Amino acid sequence: MGRYLLVLRLAWRDLRRRPVEAILAVLVMAAATTTLTIGLALHGVTDHPYEQTRAATAGPDAVAGFLSEDGTPPKTADVDAVTHLPGVSAHGALMPLAHTTLAMGGRTATVQALGRSPAGDPVDQPRLTSGAWVGAGSVVLERGFADALGARVGDQVTLGGRSFHIGGTAVSAALPAYPSSLCHLLCFAGVAPGPNAFDIGLVWLTPADLATVQERTTPAVVYLLDLRLADPSAAPAFAATHGTLPGRDPGASGPFLLSWQQIRDADAGVTRSAQAALQVGAVLLALLAIAGLTVLAGRRTLEQTRRVGLLKAVGGTPGLIALVLLVEHLALAVLAAAAGLGVGRVLAGRFTAPSAGLLGSPGPASLTGTTVAVVVTAALLVALAATLLPALRAARSATITALEAPARTPRRHGRLIALSASLPVPLLLGLRLIGRRPGRAALAVLSTAVTVTGLVTILTSDAVSGRGTGGLHNLRTERLTQVTTMITVMLLVLAAANTVFLTWATVADARHASALARAFGATPSQVTGGLAAAQVVPAAVGALLGLPAGLIVYRLVTQTSLTMPSLAGLAAVLVGAILAVVVCTAIPAGVGARRPVADVLSADAA
Amino acid sequence: MSDVVLRTRRVRKEFGKGAGRVRAVDDIDFEVAAGETVAVMGPSGCGKSTLLHLLGGLQRPTGGEVVLDGRRVDEMSERALARLRRDRIGFVFQAFHLMPELTAVENVEVPALLAGRSPRAARGAALELLDRVGLADRTGHLPSALSGGQRQRVAIARALVTEPLVVLADEPTGNLDSAATSEVLRLFDRLRAAGQTLIIVTHDARIAATANRLLSMRDGALVDQTLLAEVAA
Ligand SMILES: Nc1ncnc2c1ncn2[C@@H]1O[C@H](COP(=O)(O)OP(=O)(O)OP(=O)(O)O)[C@@H](O)[C@H]1O
Ligand SMILES: [Mg+2]
């Protein structure tokens, strides 16, 4: 009891003595926890709208598809075999569906044109959101697609070469809303998704009109059959048991079965890329936070060492001493987790509005117990990664050495010093500084490498997602862009902060050495140059490592083949990163190098 | 003589290896009885601090035995040593070594809290000791707001708060001016009178004069033991 009071008191006093460092530490960790929170909060936000839409449109529990090479409907026996499957309680009419191209005002998109009876069906009744249901020469657009296209009731569109009038817009739960159209039909048909294959619009029209649409893309015709099941929750099992899989049954033409849960999950696709980006971003930001915290905590090793010596002398056990050293950072981590959860919850709201293709509103971005646990654990791990090793080392150190610790004697790296002797003065000073604190140089490499990895990943993803939306507004791409912009800003801010921390620490460390160098005739700008070189050399190494790492991360996360971003883009990231480090370094380095020599030397003698 | 509290047998401490080896403490045998005040003197670098560190379990000997209260200090685990320092030993350092972020009373409390006393009991004991060392009106001050002599008196109060068997002081007046030295001197005198076992390393003859016994060291070895109290008697 008393012991824990002491631990808390020491942590609290220490935090109060350096509020700026404490705040910086929290901010650095909060960037990662916020990103993680948003990523987790987006999970399942479209489920509620989908279920509302499903209820409002009498959505099917499963959809059966039959592929037709020549356009003829499937045999009655094949259809009956599906409608008589155990568990099927009702079904709709057989509906022809053709893949074709829709053009309007210079924009074109691949669409699925679905023939629906003007009278409507008991299962799957698309809910009109404007205008009227299909009729001769009049088509209805899925609302999410209409929005992306900028189409309104009364507009003219060209469908497969024939002109139609838009009679209305509607929502449906039987197919995913734009831009989440899943490739299911194409994939079932064994057709490789072409350009835009993932973003297919949905158009309803009468079967008679559909028959007049001549220009088609593959697969030319599919027939769909909406099914109602006795137990909707068993739909995935039903689809898996009775459906045909192209891989398992090559050449089969059906039935391909899709459960409503698969459609719901396809609708979540609108946030999926953003979620993946957020999760990768959170990992990168966490790495930057570890680097930043390590530097912040490392600036104070001397002070901490004396404290450890003292606690040992008066009887603190190694465990208690490690606790004293850790508690402070763990408390900051909990604060950062709380901040991240709060801010992340608010920001997540900006990414949760469903596509216009669904009804209703998302549930508020709720923080589940799991989310809270994951975020808090992540923050604690970041803090531990940055402080556990030094704490354990301190706890085991010899009491007297710790108590009477002089400023840490830097290691000498003879070869580095010999090498640097033949270099220009700033580079010479810089390399010697790196040789004094190799660990810190490694952190500088890590920090830049992680940042460049993130930037390259984002650059690559933009290069991909920017392609082939046919000029249509694409909610998924927009989400991804919003999210990656946010992550980019955070990466840059954290990397800049890390660079400033590192330079500060190096300046403080090298104060004496720099003053000596100047006493022996180095100019302030040579010393500034040396301090800058000590940051820029590792940063350049990190940037070079980050380029391939970014491409690899992108490849691993998206599992798609890589589209190389432009060389100009990569070069810009590389040069930009190094220039940014120069700028962030220049200010603290310049201030450090200009302090009067005598001041420094006499201050250090005291 | 009464009970032996502290005893060493052929205790030895070496630093470094090869040609650079230094024998800081060289086969020292001695005993300290309960209630005794022992002063250790000798030229700089002769091993006084090292001897004190060995006695208090702050360093491990290279060879020999250190026995405190009947237990072998040199063979203890890290945790047991920590507990020993906490419960049986009070340290006073030349450089005070107070925690800069804690007030006077909070500094004094530290060993009591480490020893598992309740916060209330620790606070009570700390306030009483600060009163005894004449700092009742400075309990809430940070060390930075105290004079050198006051800081050392806080450090002495801290050394006493767990009612240790032995107080080990390493040049407690080394950083103090003459007036502050007198304050500390009076304090040690009172401790001796109260029967506290004390071992003081010092360069100050006035401090040494308060001891019952004087040990002189040279090059790591004991060269002389004088029973001052008996001489004076
Ligand atoms: N950690 C260490 N490593 C190497 N040598 C050491 C170490 N500590 C002490 N020594 C050496 O051991 C010898 C005794 O040192 P010690 O500090 O005990 O002397 P001292 O009598 O306390 O001196 P002073 O009066 O100056 O405090 C010295 O020669 C010192 O250089
Ligand atoms: Mg000494």
Side-chain angles (χ1 to χ4, degrees):
Chain A
M1 166 67 189
R3 254 167 246 166
Y4 300 109
L5 172 75
L6 180 65
V7 169
L8 292 181
R9 178 185 284 166
L10 287 173
W12 172 240
R13 289 294 158 77
D14 207 44
L15 289 176
R16 276 214 347 221
R17 260 155 60 97
R18 46 199 95 250
V20 176
E21 280 185 34
I23 291 168
L24 286 176
V26 170
L27 288 180
V28 160
M29 288 189 277
T33 54
T34 303
T35 310
L36 186 60
T37 303
I38 300 175
L40 294 170
L42 287 190
H43 188 78
V45 284
T46 55
D47 290 3
H48 185 59
Y50 177 80
E51 273 154 35
Q52 281 178 295
T53 309
R54 182 170 136 77
T57 62
D61 297 323
V63 180
F66 301 89
L67 188 64
S68 163
E69 301 285 359
D70 54 5
T72 55
K75 290 198 271 304
T76 319
D78 291 345
V79 176
D80 285 351
V82 172
T83 56
H84 292 115
L85 281 172
V88 175
S89 59
H91 62 90
L94 199 62
M95 304 173 289
L97 180 146
H99 287 84
T100 182
T101 307
L102 178 145
M104 187 194 119
R107 298 167 170 183
T108 57
T110 302
V111 293
Q112 299 177 327
L114 182 59
R116 293 294 307 253
S117 136
D121 282 304
V123 183
D124 181 18
Q125 306 152 349
R127 160 78 69 95
L128 280 171
T129 52
S130 66
W133 188 230
V134 295
S138 171
V139 299
V140 172
L141 265 55
E142 184 268 308
R143 184 171 69 171
F145 178 55
D147 271 16
L149 196 63
R152 275 196 306 250
V153 173
D155 287 347
Q156 289 294 123
V157 291
T158 311
L159 197 60
R162 228 205 94 178
S163 183
F164 286 94
H165 157 89
I166 301 180
T169 60
V171 297
S172 162
L175 285 167
Y178 191 87
S180 285
S181 301
L182 120 138
C183 89
H184 62 277
L185 294 166
L186 293 169
C187 296
F188 280 164
V191 177
N196 308 352
F198 292 101
D199 299 323
I200 301 177
L202 177 60
V203 180
W204 291 280
L205 72 177
T206 63
D209 277 342
L210 180 61
T212 67
V213 173
Q214 295 306 324
E215 298 165 20
R216 298 186 174 183
T217 53
T218 48
V221 181
V222 175
Y223 284 85
L224 296 185
L225 186 63
D226 289 323
L227 303 175
R228 170 86 58 235
L229 301 181
D231 177 10
S233 67
F238 175 83
T241 313
H242 304 295
T244 307
L245 293 178
R248 195 174 62 192
D249 317 288
S253 60
F256 305 106
L257 286 174
L258 196 65
S259 67
W260 67 268
Q261 289 90 340
Q262 284 171 294
I263 303 170
R264 177 193 64 196
D265 293 345
D267 270 326
V270 74
T271 54
R272 198 167 296 132
S273 318
Q275 242 186 313
L278 285 162
Q279 272 151 14
V280 174
V283 170
L284 295 177
L285 288 167
L287 287 174
L288 283 186
I290 291 172
L293 270 191
T294 309
V295 179
L296 279 177
R299 278 162 45 100
R300 310 180 30 208
T301 23
L302 175 61
E303 199 177 318
Q304 290 288 22
T305 310
R306 295 213 173 115
R307 202 176 194 199
V308 166
L310 185 59
L311 281 171
K312 292 193 139 190
V314 297
T317 53
L320 182 115
I321 285 162
L323 194 61
V324 167
L325 295 184
L326 288 177
V327 139
E328 199 175 314
H329 288 100
L330 295 183
L332 293 179
V334 170
L335 265 183
L341 285 166
V343 176
R345 178 164 195 252
V346 171
L347 287 183
R350 307 190 49 159
F351 305 115
T352 53
S355 145
L358 295 175
L359 293 175
S361 56
S366 60
L367 300 180
T368 60
T370 322
T371 304
V372 174
V374 169
V375 171
V376 172
T377 311
L380 291 177
L381 287 179
V382 165
L384 278 181
T387 51
L388 185 61
L389 270 185
L392 290 182
R393 207 182 304 138
R396 295 224 200 82
S397 65
T399 312
I400 289 300
T401 342
L403 200 53
E404 284 159 11
R408 165 169 163 179
T409 35
R411 265 185 286 166
R412 274 178 61 87
H413 284 243
R415 231 176 312 152
L416 206 56
I417 291 182
L419 171 82
S420 62
S422 56
L423 295 173
V425 176
L427 215 50
L428 173 153
L429 293 174
L431 281 188
R432 289 189 178 177
L433 285 173
I434 292 172
R436 284 163 62 99
R437 297 299 297 263
R440 201 171 278 158
L443 287 177
V445 171
L446 172 75
S447 179
T448 323
V450 166
T451 312
V452 171
T453 301
L455 296 181
V456 169
T457 309
I458 287 166
L459 194 70
T460 312
S461 77
D462 268 344
V464 171
S465 62
R467 268 183 318 149
T469 50
L472 269 63
H473 173 85
N474 188 313
L475 189 63
R476 186 185 60 243
T477 313
E478 181 191 290
R479 289 271 157 82
L480 186 62
T481 309
Q482 283 175 335
V483 162
T484 51
T485 308
M486 184 188 83
I487 296 173
T488 307
V489 170
M490 291 215 254
L491 280 173
L492 291 178
V493 170
L494 272 201
N498 278 357
T499 306
V500 172
F501 297 164
L502 278 164
T503 313
W504 252 348
T506 309
V507 168
D509 245 27
R511 223 175 26 183
H512 196 92
S514 314
L516 270 182
R518 283 167 61 204
F520 289 118
T523 64
S525 41
Q526 281 173 331
V527 172
T528 309
L531 290 167
Q535 308 306 315
V536 173
V537 171
V541 174
L544 282 173
L545 290 176
L547 290 182
L551 297 175
I552 293 168
V553 166
Y554 181 78
R555 178 85 178 70
L556 287 179
V557 172
T558 61
Q559 305 276 320
T560 58
S561 62
L562 199 61
T563 317
M564 277 293 286
S566 70
L567 274 181
L570 290 181
V573 169
L574 185 70
V575 173
I578 296 174
L579 280 182
V581 167
V582 170
V583 170
C584 292
T585 302
I587 299 159
V591 171
R594 276 179 175 72
R595 281 189 58 194
V597 174
D599 281 10
V600 177
L601 290 180
S602 60
D604 286 0
Chain B
M1 201 177 263
S2 51
D3 315 341
V4 170
V5 175
L6 187 60
R7 176 165 57 84
T8 67
R9 180 163 306 145
R10 299 183 68 78
V11 72
R12 182 162 47 86
K13 177 72 180 175
E14 291 168 0
F15 291 109
K17 35 187 182 276
R21 175 142 67 185
V22 178
R23 199 168 261 212
V25 169
D26 196 1
D27 286 346
I28 287 190
D29 289 300
F30 83 111
E31 292 183 349
V32 179
E36 219 185 349
T37 300
V38 176
V40 183
M41 297 189 82
S44 179
C46 70
K48 306 180 295 293
S49 297
T50 307
L51 177 64
L52 216 56
H53 296 156
L54 295 176
L55 297 180
L58 287 179
Q59 282 178 339
R60 286 177 190 281
T62 314
E65 294 175 13
V66 177
V67 181
L68 178 74
D69 196 22
R71 294 164 65 207
R72 286 281 294 272
V73 174
D74 52 295
E75 290 178 337
M76 283 182 180
S77 71
E78 256 326 291
R79 284 178 61 89
L81 275 180
R83 250 177 274 135
L84 178 90
R85 292 195 291 263
R86 193 173 79 190
D87 301 330
R88 298 263 179 259
I89 297 172
F91 272 102
V92 180
F93 300 96
Q94 176 174 353
F96 321 137
H97 290 318
L98 297 175
M99 293 203 166
E101 66 272 37
L102 298 186
T103 62
V105 66
E106 287 166 347
N107 263 294
V108 176
E109 274 174 1
V110 169
L113 292 174
L114 285 175
R117 302 264 188 93
S118 77
R120 179 192 292 265
R123 178 56 56 105
L127 287 173
E128 193 201 310
L129 274 165
L130 281 174
D131 187 36
R132 259 169 67 193
V133 302
L135 290 175
D137 55 344
R138 291 283 187 281
T139 56
H141 287 51
L142 289 176
S144 54
L146 297 174
S147 73
Q150 288 169 336
R151 285 182 212 181
Q152 195 58 302
R153 283 186 279 153
V154 173
I156 292 170
R158 179 180 63 189
L160 295 172
V161 74
T162 50
E163 296 170 8
L165 217 50
V166 190
V167 171
L168 303 173
D170 192 355
E171 297 186 34
T173 57
N175 280 4
L176 301 181
D177 65 14
S178 145
T181 300
S182 304
E183 293 168 7
V184 171
L185 191 69
R186 271 201 303 281
L187 209 53
F188 279 125
D189 228 12
R190 290 225 307 271
L191 286 179
R192 186 179 56 106
Q196 173 72 54
T197 312
L198 258 174
I199 302 178
I200 311 176
V201 167
T202 185
H203 285 296
D204 190 321
R206 286 191 296 161
I207 298 275
T210 67
N212 307 102
R213 189 148 58 104
L214 179 65
L215 303 182
S216 293
M217 277 183 78
R218 182 145 303 147
D219 294 336
L222 279 187
V223 291
D224 189 21
Q225 298 204 29
T226 321
L227 285 181
L228 293 171
E230 288 173 20
V231 167

